[in-house]
Amino acid sequence: MRILIVEDEKEISDGIQSVLQKSGYETDAVYDGLDGLDYILSGVYDLIILDIMLPKINGIDVLKNARENGITIPVILLTAKSQIEDKINGLDCGADDYLTKPFDAGELLARIRVQTRNAGEQTETGLKAYDILLDKNTFKLHGNDKSVKLARKEYQLLEYLMHNKGQILTRDMLITKIWGFEEENDYNNLDVYISFLRKKLKYVEAKAAIVTKKGIGYSLEKE
Ligand code: CA
């Protein structure tokens, strides 16, 4: 799960990042509204933590613009105590929740869990798509009577494909989702992991398969 933090106060941003990373989330951070919007529109995030008072474009306008562009993922707004009107405005503009600064780590994590628990076809043990089940506790892929353990990147890649089953995910979206913006985008890496995953899908005798969309990307479909 990849979370974007849009917050111009470096100390707060660093604090949030370290809390989230310790809890196993992948994070990216940007420090003004313009970069925030740019990153949000990439479509690779599962959740956004968005400060309201931001340089260049304020958080409310970032949110409005993102929603107008069809971005439906959960957004948690960060507000200062004095910004009651902003809170109401933010919820009107499509925020899913807000947190008043200062907040503690436990509360932030609880809010994130609430916002992300309904994503995809989540079952008690994991994520289901077609005839496969991805177990988030064991990192195992279950197919027809067989199961196999996935490496971390394989798991993240398949999770993203399953969340968006039947839809084409571009190579850039997949790479950014799994490797982030910081690391050098390596197209070969993606192909290698896709081929690992295909072998494992075959091994568990799944009808679900990763289909190549030539020149665009991949999609998880049922054969
Ligand atoms: Ca701020």
Side-chain angles (χ1 to χ4, degrees):
M1 186 139 328
R2 183 169 281 271
I3 296 178
L4 177 69
I5 300 141
V6 191
E7 161 66 86
D8 57 315
E9 284 158 86
K10 186 88 173 48
E11 219 167 284
I12 295 178
S13 177
D14 288 351
I16 295 173
Q17 285 183 74
S18 104
V19 165
L20 295 187
Q21 283 166 11
K22 272 182 206 141
S23 298
Y25 296 103
E26 311 284 325
T27 63
D28 289 309
V30 287
Y31 304 95
D32 66 61
L34 197 61
D35 281 347
L37 186 58
D38 202 29
Y39 276 55
I40 291 168
L41 294 180
S42 72
V44 302
Y45 294 101
D46 302 291
L47 184 132
I48 313 289
I49 295 170
L50 179 63
D51 187 31
I52 289 183
M53 298 287 278
L54 286 170
K56 296 187 186 170
I57 309 176
N58 72 58
I60 300 285
D61 287 339
V62 169
L63 175 62
K64 257 193 233 169
N65 200 313
R67 292 297 188 229
E68 280 166 15
N69 279 285
I71 300 289
T72 57
I73 52 160
V75 173
I76 298 176
L77 285 177
L78 301 183
T79 67
K81 264 209 178 83
S82 55
Q83 299 167 322
I84 303 245
E85 263 184 38
D86 280 344
K87 271 178 213 169
I88 297 163
N89 203 352
L91 293 171
D92 282 347
C93 291
D96 299 275
D97 200 356
Y98 62 82
L99 268 173
T100 305
K101 291 191 267 191
F103 48 84
D104 70 47
E107 183 166 14
L108 174 65
L109 291 171
R111 303 289 185 97
I112 290 172
R113 279 196 296 273
V114 168
Q115 292 304 327
T116 55
R117 73 180 164 204
N118 294 324
E121 286 175 65
Q122 211 77 246
T123 69
E124 270 191 18
T125 40
L127 185 67
K128 255 189 105 163
Y130 306 121
D131 60 343
I132 54 172
L133 177 83
L134 195 56
D135 190 319
K136 62 183 170 197
N137 299 313
T138 60
F139 273 42
K140 273 187 171 173
L141 166 67
H142 296 268
N144 295 313
D145 295 329
K146 280 188 182 166
S147 69
V148 63
K149 193 162 165 76
L150 300 184
R152 187 181 167 83
K153 298 280 191 214
E154 292 172 347
Y155 177 91
Q156 290 172 343
L157 197 53
L158 188 59
E159 182 188 40
Y160 188 35
L161 285 160
M162 287 171 76
H163 269 307
N164 297 284
K165 64 172 189 178
Q167 294 176 47
I168 301 170
L169 297 173
T170 67
R171 301 174 66 81
D172 278 341
M173 285 169 84
L174 288 160
I175 288 168
T176 308
K177 178 79 169 188
I178 311 307
W179 285 274
F181 286 100
E182 271 84 50
E183 292 173 49
E184 204 172 301
N185 287 357
D186 189 341
Y187 286 87
N188 293 329
N189 245 346
L190 176 63
D191 295 334
V192 168
Y193 278 96
I194 292 283
S195 96
F196 288 161
L197 275 178
R198 279 178 170 154
K199 286 197 182 92
K200 291 188 172 176
L201 285 166
K202 206 167 186 180
Y203 172 76
V204 300
E205 296 167 12
K207 289 201 172 71
I210 301 170
V211 177
T212 305
K213 304 290 173 183
K214 220 169 177 335
I216 310 172
Y218 297 98
S219 107
L220 185 75
E221 294 174 15
K222 196 173 168 180
E223 273 184 343

